[in-house]
Amino acid sequence: MAVPLTRLAYQTLQQGKSLMGLAHKEVSLRLMGALAPEGAPSTVAVPPEMLQAMQASFQRLLDVDWEEAEQGIYPASLLFDAPWLEWASRYPLVWLDLPATWNRRKQRRVDDLPTTVNRSDYPSYYLQNFHHQTDGYLSDHSASLYDLQVEILFNGTADPMRRRLLKPLVWGLRAFADRPASQLRVLDVATGTGRTLRQIRAALPQARLVGLDLSSAYLRQANRWLSQLPSELPQLVQGNGEAMPFADASMQAVTCVFLMHELPAEARQNVLNDCWRVLEPGGVLVLADSVQLADSPQFRPAMENFRRMFHEPYYRDYISDDIDARLTAAGFKAVRAESHLMTRVWTATKS
Ligand SMILES: C[S@@+](CC[C@H](N)C(=O)[O-])C[C@H]1O[C@@H](n2cnc3c(N)ncnc32)[C@H](O)[C@@H]1O
């Protein structure tokens, strides 16, 4: 009886998060329409077939998430892992931040960053208010709200979608089965606040983890979350994914979640090239990002609305991009991909 009860608890938790996310977006859109109509986005109509397809996809995601925990890819406790109290205490700040977001939308301002930011430290494509968020990626305030905002955006499915990289990652590392697990290095590129590293830590408790991101504020937040775990703290490094400060062939696995759609095409290719460079031959890259028009045409209206509602300057280009071809151009072999709700997961190896 224990297993069905836990599965029911997991399903209920996810349904609850989904309802909260939907309710939050509905109320905040209405408020924007009433208080800041000039900033309100014009969205495309969503056909009922798309909602049905999404609901079915949502249920499949939860089933896979549960089954892979049962298979022992990661502990079932990970399905319930979230900083609930912190999120609850930060939720009012998400609301308090909305008027500033509306103002930027009204003024069509997308370069409203802290004056303390030294712009020459960053590539120009990065110096923007992605998702219209306050300070872009460049403040502790932004880092403190990011995870919660992503949870709301994806109706509570961000972590289940991120977890889809764990199975290909664990399986890919079997290429190094003759080595002690403590000698395997796994790099998470654009780790942000470290949610993916936290999940990898649960699946690979012995591995040496490294996280890289351009934002020192997001890395500080990652450090706070990750230092709560009893295991060894991952190494957190500030740097550009296009030219990473790691030696050639120094990693056995590389992961990268939700970065590709935030890069112009050339930077996208540069990041994939550099992932290939830092991997040891036999190593695996697992990449997760938004689904695209070619693999998920039924979700076209959702992709279109995402772009209209949030400042995502490279998303339109990304959803038509050929990531398989980019991986091959970088040197990867055995490229394969599958979709999980709104996320596509590519696995590729360096031979
Ligand atoms: C949408 S967030 C994804 C964060 C995290 N992977 C997750 O799953 O939530 C994009 C992240 O990419 C980082 N980023 C953007 N461009 C980068 C680059 N060229 N090199 C390294 N990090 C970058 C940002 O600072 C931000 O933390």
Side-chain angles (χ1 to χ4, degrees):
M1 195 60 193
V3 168
L5 264 186
T6 318
R7 187 165 191 163
L8 183 65
Y10 171 63
Q11 289 271 351
T12 310
L13 172 74
Q14 286 299 144
Q15 298 288 358
K17 287 205 285 183
S18 172
L19 287 176
M20 285 244 344
L22 289 168
H24 176 99
K25 287 198 287 274
E26 181 65 26
V27 175
S28 55
L29 263 177
R30 279 175 191 238
L31 265 180
M32 185 179 5
L35 301 176
E38 313 90 312
S42 65
T43 51
V44 299
V46 171
E49 309 82 80
M50 191 196 92
L51 291 178
Q52 280 161 12
M54 226 166 222
Q55 185 56 36
S57 218
F58 171 71
Q59 191 50 53
R60 274 198 302 279
L61 173 70
L62 301 193
D63 291 344
V64 173
D65 204 20
W66 178 265
E67 281 154 19
E68 291 185 358
E70 274 196 324
Q71 289 162 18
I73 304 287
Y74 43 84
S77 57
L78 200 56
L79 302 174
F80 300 91
D81 179 62
W84 299 111
L85 282 178
E86 289 229 29
W87 283 0
S89 68
R90 287 174 193 186
Y91 186 57
L93 299 179
V94 173
W95 285 106
L96 289 174
D97 198 44
L98 280 180
T101 307
W102 297 339
N103 256 336
R104 273 191 299 278
R105 298 185 71 106
K106 246 180 357 200
Q107 297 165 3
R108 307 208 182 288
R109 269 207 81 178
V110 291
D111 63 346
D112 182 16
L113 300 174
T115 49
T116 48
V117 167
N118 185 354
R119 291 178 166 255
S120 61
D121 289 346
Y122 303 96
S124 54
Y125 62 75
Y126 186 71
L127 294 169
Q128 307 194 42
N129 300 92
F130 285 91
H131 327 131
H132 296 107
Q133 69 199 32
T134 299
D135 302 332
Y137 285 120
L138 292 164
S139 74
D140 291 319
H141 170 76
S142 161
S144 73
L145 298 185
Y146 170 81
D147 284 333
L148 188 50
Q149 286 168 328
V150 174
E151 275 300 305
I152 293 169
L153 169 68
F154 287 125
N155 300 330
T157 60
D159 276 346
M161 291 196 290
R162 288 190 185 101
R163 276 194 284 276
R164 304 293 50 85
L165 62 74
L166 295 178
K167 185 169 173 175
L169 172 64
V170 169
W171 284 20
L173 281 171
R174 288 179 181 170
F176 303 99
D178 56 339
R179 293 193 203 165
S182 59
Q183 281 180 20
L184 302 178
R185 287 184 93 200
V186 180
L187 165 68
D188 186 39
V189 180
T191 197
T193 55
R195 289 253 2 120
T196 304
L197 278 179
R198 201 174 157 98
Q199 300 187 343
I200 297 174
R201 172 54 82 223
L204 297 166
Q206 311 284 324
R208 289 160 64 197
L209 306 188
V210 185
L212 173 124
D213 201 278
L214 261 175
S215 168
S216 53
Y218 275 56
L219 291 174
R220 271 194 296 281
Q221 180 63 62
N223 185 53
R224 274 194 289 275
W225 293 137
L226 294 165
S227 56
Q228 294 165 357
L229 297 175
S231 45
E232 189 185 308
L233 188 63
Q235 184 190 359
L236 298 172
V237 179
Q238 187 187 12
N240 187 340
E242 294 181 78
M244 297 187 271
F246 305 118
D248 294 2
S250 55
M251 306 287 166
Q252 285 67 49
V254 175
T255 58
C256 180
V257 181
F258 303 148
L259 171 66
M260 291 288 115
H261 74 278
E262 296 207 337
L263 298 177
E266 191 186 344
R268 229 174 271 149
Q269 186 66 52
N270 292 342
V271 169
L272 297 178
N273 293 347
D274 219 40
C275 289
W276 190 87
R277 180 188 65 78
V278 301
L279 268 176
E280 180 179 331
V284 63
L285 169 71
V286 190
L287 190 68
D289 215 297
S290 165
V291 289
Q292 299 182 296
L293 292 173
D295 60 78
S296 303
Q298 73 281 20
F299 294 151
R300 176 187 281 268
M303 292 182 229
E304 182 58 30
N305 285 342
F306 176 64
R307 187 180 70 76
R308 291 180 183 215
M309 289 170 70
F310 302 96
H311 178 57
E312 284 287 3
Y314 309 110
Y315 189 73
R316 192 208 286 254
D317 179 72
Y318 163 81
I319 55 177
S320 305
D321 197 8
D322 187 343
I323 298 292
D324 291 38
R326 289 197 181 282
L327 286 164
T328 306
F332 285 102
K333 300 273 184 291
V335 176
R336 54 198 187 281
E338 49 185 44
S339 299
H340 299 277
L341 189 57
M342 296 309 288
T343 295
R344 187 132 179 104
V345 178
W346 287 265
T347 309
T349 50
K350 177 172 177 175
S351 52

